[in-house]
């Protein structure tokens, strides 16, 4: 049983809606509203599901509109679709049949898109609805960019001030719908980016970047008399804490690469130089 309360999000389908929540990194469907929406008895359906080996259900605490925390039964998307497959549309009331069909056709993509892609859009959305969504997306983009500016400003002194300034300029420009004017020598240079420039594969980069990172940190300290500051960088699709370097440090990167790695990756070295 999950102990922390979960945000329940209502996703609109072509007919009706489905309530969902993220549980331990996986999207779940709140069962009772969906069962009752197609005119079936919730207790009966819940009892049937308890006897099925393929059911993956969780009792999750949610905050209701009155502010009280209540337990709700939720099932993962696979279980919900399996349950839907057992419901005969010919045996539900005619007025609830469109809801059942919408659940069967649209639930998986709607829930998956919302929780993994940031949103789900109905194929039946009108032009006015799409225009309103575009406006919401634009407003959300601006709020996110300005929020990141404030978040970066609050970072402690261990974070490189040059990196903070360049990222803030980037996000200010993002909020204004512009491209930030950042001097080339102030642009961030990640170890992983450098290895991509050298043409290394994903596996090769993973095997090299830790040792290269240690050598670069030592070379930076020897050159500048201090250790490199911290920053945040996108590595393997995730934001991670990394050491802060800029394009001004590329000659140092090249020196370390030539001394320790060029002989091991001669083909990649030629590819990197050609690109």
């Amino acid at each position: 049983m999950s102990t922390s309360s979960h945000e329940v999000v209502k996703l609109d389908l072509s007919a009706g809606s489905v309530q969902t929540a993220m549980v331990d990194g996986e999207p779940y469907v709140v069962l009772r509203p969906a069962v009752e929406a197609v005119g079936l008895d919730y207790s009966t359906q819940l009892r049937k599901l308890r006897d099925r080996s393929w059911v993956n259900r969780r009792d999750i605490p949610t905050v209701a509109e009155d502010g009280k925390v209540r337990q709700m039964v939720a099932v993962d998307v696979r279980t919900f679709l399996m349950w839907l497959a057992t419901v005969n549309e010919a045996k539900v009331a005619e007025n609830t049949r469109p809801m059942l069909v919408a659940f069967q056709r649209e639930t998986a993509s709607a829930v998956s898109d919302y929780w993994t892609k940031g949103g789900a859009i109905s194929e039946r959305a009108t032009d006015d609805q799409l225009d309103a969504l575009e406006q919401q997306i634009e407003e959300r983009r601006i709020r996110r960019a300005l929020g990141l500016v404030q978040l970066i400003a609050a970072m402690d002194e261990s974070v490189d001030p040059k990196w903070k300034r360049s990222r803030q300029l980037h996000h200010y420009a993002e909020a204004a719908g512009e491209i930030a004017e950042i001097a080339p020598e102030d642009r961030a240079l990640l170890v992983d980016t450098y290895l991509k420039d050298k043409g290394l594969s994903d596996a090769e980069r993973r095997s090299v970047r830790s040792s290269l990172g240690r050598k670069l940190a030592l070379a930076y300290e020897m050159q500048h008399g201090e250790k490199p500051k911290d920053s945040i960088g996108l590595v393997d699709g995730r934001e991670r804490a990394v050491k802060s370097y800029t394009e001004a440090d590329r000659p140092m990167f090249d020196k370390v690469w030539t001394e320790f790695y060029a002989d091991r990756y001669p083909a990649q070295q030629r590819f990197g130089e050609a690109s």
Side-chain angles (χ1 to χ4, degrees):
M1 178 183 295
S2 181
T3 57
S4 58
S5 60
H6 295 76
E7 176 192 11
V8 175
V9 176
K10 185 176 73 171
L11 302 181
D12 293 329
L13 306 177
S14 60
S17 60
V18 62
Q19 296 185 27
T20 74
M22 184 66 83
V23 182
D24 295 336
E26 184 177 356
Y28 273 62
V29 176
V30 180
L31 188 61
R32 184 168 196 148
V35 171
E36 294 179 344
V38 295
L40 298 176
D41 180 69
Y42 172 68
S43 298
T44 301
Q45 297 302 314
L46 182 59
R47 186 168 57 252
K48 290 180 179 179
L49 287 176
R50 284 172 177 161
D51 297 331
R52 304 297 173 89
S53 61
W54 42 262
V55 170
N56 184 8
R57 57 162 284 190
R58 300 284 292 273
D59 296 331
I60 62 172
T62 60
V63 180
E65 293 182 357
D66 59 7
K68 296 181 179 180
V69 177
R70 292 184 173 87
Q71 293 289 335
M72 301 180 72
V73 175
V75 296
D76 67 358
V77 176
R78 179 179 177 275
T79 297
F80 187 67
L81 295 177
M82 290 281 285
W83 168 73
L84 285 173
T86 68
V87 179
N88 187 343
E89 64 180 84
K91 293 185 178 181
V92 301
E94 186 174 350
N95 65 315
T96 61
R97 198 168 299 160
M99 172 71 79
L100 175 62
V101 174
F103 279 174
Q104 292 172 330
R105 291 179 177 175
E106 303 170 32
T107 297
S109 59
V111 175
S112 176
D113 287 353
Y114 180 86
W115 291 109
T116 64
K117 298 180 180 179
I121 301 175
S122 170
E123 294 182 359
R124 296 171 176 80
T126 66
D127 288 343
D128 288 343
Q129 289 173 327
L130 291 174
D131 289 343
L133 282 173
E134 288 182 0
Q135 179 65 28
Q136 292 177 25
I137 292 170
E138 177 67 11
E139 292 172 354
R140 176 68 183 88
R141 182 183 62 77
I142 293 173
R143 289 197 302 271
R144 176 183 178 277
L146 295 179
L148 287 171
V149 169
Q150 295 176 345
L151 181 64
I152 291 169
M155 290 179 175
D156 61 34
E157 294 180 355
S158 66
V159 178
D160 186 357
K162 293 186 297 182
W163 177 86
K164 290 173 66 174
R165 182 174 63 254
S166 66
R167 296 313 299 169
Q168 285 178 313
L169 286 173
H170 170 79
H171 292 305
Y172 271 127
E174 183 182 20
E178 301 173 351
I179 297 176
E181 295 184 5
I182 301 173
E185 64 271 17
D186 290 335
R187 292 175 184 164
L189 176 60
L190 299 180
V191 172
D192 198 58
T193 302
Y194 183 83
L195 293 175
K196 285 182 181 179
D197 291 345
K198 290 298 180 184
L200 272 68
S201 67
D202 291 348
E204 289 171 333
R205 294 201 309 276
R206 284 192 293 270
S207 69
V208 169
R209 65 189 176 209
S210 293
S211 64
L212 176 58
R214 290 191 293 270
K215 291 180 175 63
L216 286 170
L218 180 60
Y220 185 96
E221 187 174 4
M222 293 177 64
Q223 181 173 322
H224 298 280
E226 61 178 3
K227 295 181 179 180
K229 295 282 190 178
D230 296 329
S231 66
I232 306 296
L234 194 66
V235 181
D236 291 339
R238 298 176 57 187
E239 287 190 340
R240 300 182 180 181
V242 297
K243 294 303 179 185
S244 180
Y245 302 106
T246 69
E247 285 294 336
D249 297 310
R250 188 174 283 272
M252 181 188 71
F253 275 61
D254 291 337
K255 182 178 179 180
V256 173
W257 173 266
T258 300
E259 183 174 354
F260 294 99
Y261 300 97
D263 291 342
R264 292 164 52 186
Y265 301 97
Q268 288 89 336
Q269 173 75 355
R270 291 194 297 273
F271 175 84
E273 290 175 348
S275 60

